[in-house]
Amino acid sequence: MRHSVSTCQQLGFIGLGRMGSAMVTRITQAGIQCVVFDTNPESKKWVPATTVFNASIEEMVKNLPAPRHIWLMLPAAVVDSVIETLIPLLDKGDTLIDGGNSHFTEDIRRAKWLAEKGIHYMDVGVSGGVWGKERGYCHMIGGPKAHYEFLEPVFQALAPGVDTAPRTQGRSGPPSPAEQGYLYCGETGAGHFVKMIHNGIEYGLMAAYAEGLSILKHADQGHQAVDADAETAPLEHPEYYKYNLPVAEITELWRRGSVVGSWLLDLIAQEMNHSPDLEKYEGRVSDSGEGRWTSSAAIDLGVPAPVLTTALYSRFASRGNDLFADKVQSAMRHAFGGHQEKAADSDGTKGA
């Protein structure tokens, strides 16, 4: 591996979206020059003036001295096509870093593909979202360790730093990279594998908060008059469920001293402070792939993961993907018992 300097002082960067532009800003502020490209020319306004903005990928590569290190912050679906564009422009010894949410198996394939051309490859799982510009980004890193060491100044620039959380009891001495917010996880694919599981856990945490808060929201059903009919099981003890609970205030309460406090809860409280009933949201929850890959890995490894898998299925259901299954159940109830399907309730939920 040939490096003109011992650590990275200049970085190519492709993709200046919601996270990419903020990452370039943090890297630049640390004294590392970024030579960037994005298909949207307006993105030039989102990065520091010292950033070298290029009109094309070809121009960006020309403006980077060898050996080049180019970070891709792109949707997983377009990474291969961008790599294909880059390959004829690169030299042996150059390095590509995929910082998006690629499947770890794709990393293994890409690393082998690029190695045949003398190009190195690293995978970096990044967490921090749109808040990362101020808070910093958590990084999970895979690939050749020598390249991790060369790029460590970049990871340090992006990381939140040790002061963003109390040190774990028993730790002492200089903070480890993990305490600063980045970690070399192992060989190719390890970074995205750890990020995949991170996002699978995220699905489960989000679902747990959502379901618990929904129970609190509906704890007033004992006050509601419901017409008796043969199709709906009545609330057995309405006298037990007459609580008009201030759900937004409960989220605020739990942020202080509770064992379920977290940054996710902070964000829920923020949203509910603006809109306690969350009127602007329809409740259609997307999934970008990591939850599916987590469930697949659990099956491959024979590791039970019912909470994470159920959280993924709840996202499918939120988008109406359970509608036909629900129709089948209604059809069977009507066929075997003459049960008539009820209209949706006034809050938009399905009848029994």
Side-chain angles (χ1 to χ4, degrees):
M1 181 177 62
R2 52 193 177 90
H3 291 309
S4 57
V5 292
S6 59
T7 57
C8 185
Q9 296 181 346
Q10 192 173 49
L11 182 72
F13 203 101
I14 300 176
L16 299 177
R18 289 173 296 179
M19 290 178 65
S21 58
M23 292 169 68
V24 165
T25 298
R26 286 185 68 93
I27 295 167
T28 302
Q29 289 171 344
I32 300 169
Q33 185 182 50
C34 289
V35 180
V36 307
F37 170 73
D38 192 280
T39 54
N40 178 9
E42 292 295 308
S43 62
K44 184 176 183 178
K45 302 175 183 177
W46 309 336
V47 293
T50 54
T51 303
V52 180
F53 192 92
N54 298 273
S56 67
I57 289 179
E58 290 80 4
E59 181 179 298
M60 183 202 72
V61 172
K62 287 179 182 178
N63 283 328
L64 281 168
R68 305 171 185 89
H69 292 77
I70 300 174
W71 189 300
L72 309 179
M73 203 65 191
L74 301 166
V78 304
V79 171
D80 276 346
S81 62
V82 173
I83 290 176
E84 287 174 354
T85 300
L86 282 165
I87 284 174
L89 307 173
L90 299 179
D91 297 323
K92 290 183 178 180
D94 290 347
T95 302
L96 296 181
I97 307 121
D98 180 7
N101 280 329
S102 290
H103 194 188
F104 76 97
T105 59
E106 292 294 281
D107 295 321
I108 295 169
R109 176 184 62 80
R110 289 173 186 148
K112 183 178 179 180
W113 171 32
L114 290 167
E116 293 171 354
K117 304 177 185 305
I119 301 169
H120 306 291
Y121 178 87
M122 296 194 69
D123 55 284
V124 182
V126 183
S127 181
V130 296
W131 295 84
K133 184 176 181 180
E134 289 77 29
R135 288 170 52 97
Y137 297 91
C138 174
H139 283 74
M140 296 142 267
I141 305 156
K145 191 166 187 180
H147 289 74
Y148 153 74
E149 292 169 348
F150 179 80
L151 290 164
E152 192 167 5
V154 175
F155 304 131
Q156 290 173 333
L158 290 166
V162 68
D163 293 335
T164 54
R167 293 196 79 178
T168 299
Q169 186 174 358
R171 282 186 176 263
S172 61
S176 68
E179 290 182 278
Q180 296 176 57
Y182 66 96
L183 180 67
Y184 176 71
C185 298
E187 59 192 47
T188 299
H192 278 149
F193 186 88
V194 174
K195 178 56 162 49
M196 175 185 78
I197 303 304
H198 166 285
N199 282 25
I201 292 170
E202 180 183 300
Y203 283 25
L205 292 172
M206 292 173 69
Y209 280 124
E211 291 177 12
L213 294 174
S214 184
I215 294 170
L216 295 176
K217 178 73 172 174
H218 291 90
D220 63 347
Q221 289 186 17
H223 286 302
Q224 300 171 14
V226 178
D227 294 334
D229 62 66
E231 302 303 319
T232 308
L235 183 60
E236 187 173 357
H237 291 286
E239 69 274 18
Y240 294 166
Y241 302 102
K242 294 187 176 182
Y243 303 116
N244 293 305
L245 297 170
V247 179
E249 289 300 298
I250 291 170
T251 64
E252 198 65 49
L253 168 71
W254 286 350
R255 294 181 62 215
R256 293 167 175 84
S258 165
V259 296
V260 300
S262 73
W263 185 46
L264 284 174
L265 184 61
D266 294 345
L267 297 177
I268 296 169
Q270 175 181 295
E271 291 290 325
M272 296 192 79
N273 182 53
H274 296 313
S275 173
D277 292 323
L278 303 176
E279 292 93 344
K280 71 177 183 178
Y281 298 101
E282 295 183 3
R284 292 176 59 87
V285 188
S286 298
D287 72 288
S288 54
E290 298 89 344
R292 303 184 191 209
W293 304 334
T294 297
S295 296
S296 295
I299 292 169
D300 288 345
L301 296 170
V303 176
V307 172
L308 306 190
T309 302
T310 300
L312 172 66
Y313 288 157
S314 73
R315 294 193 176 202
F316 297 161
S318 78
R319 304 198 295 269
N321 293 343
D322 60 345
L323 182 57
F324 186 74
D326 292 341
K327 289 182 177 181
V328 171
Q329 292 190 70
S330 281
M332 287 189 288
R333 291 187 81 243
H334 181 263
F336 68 66
H339 300 285
Q340 298 300 313
E341 188 174 70
K342 292 191 68 176
D345 294 334
S346 59
D347 65 355
T349 58
K350 300 169 186 174

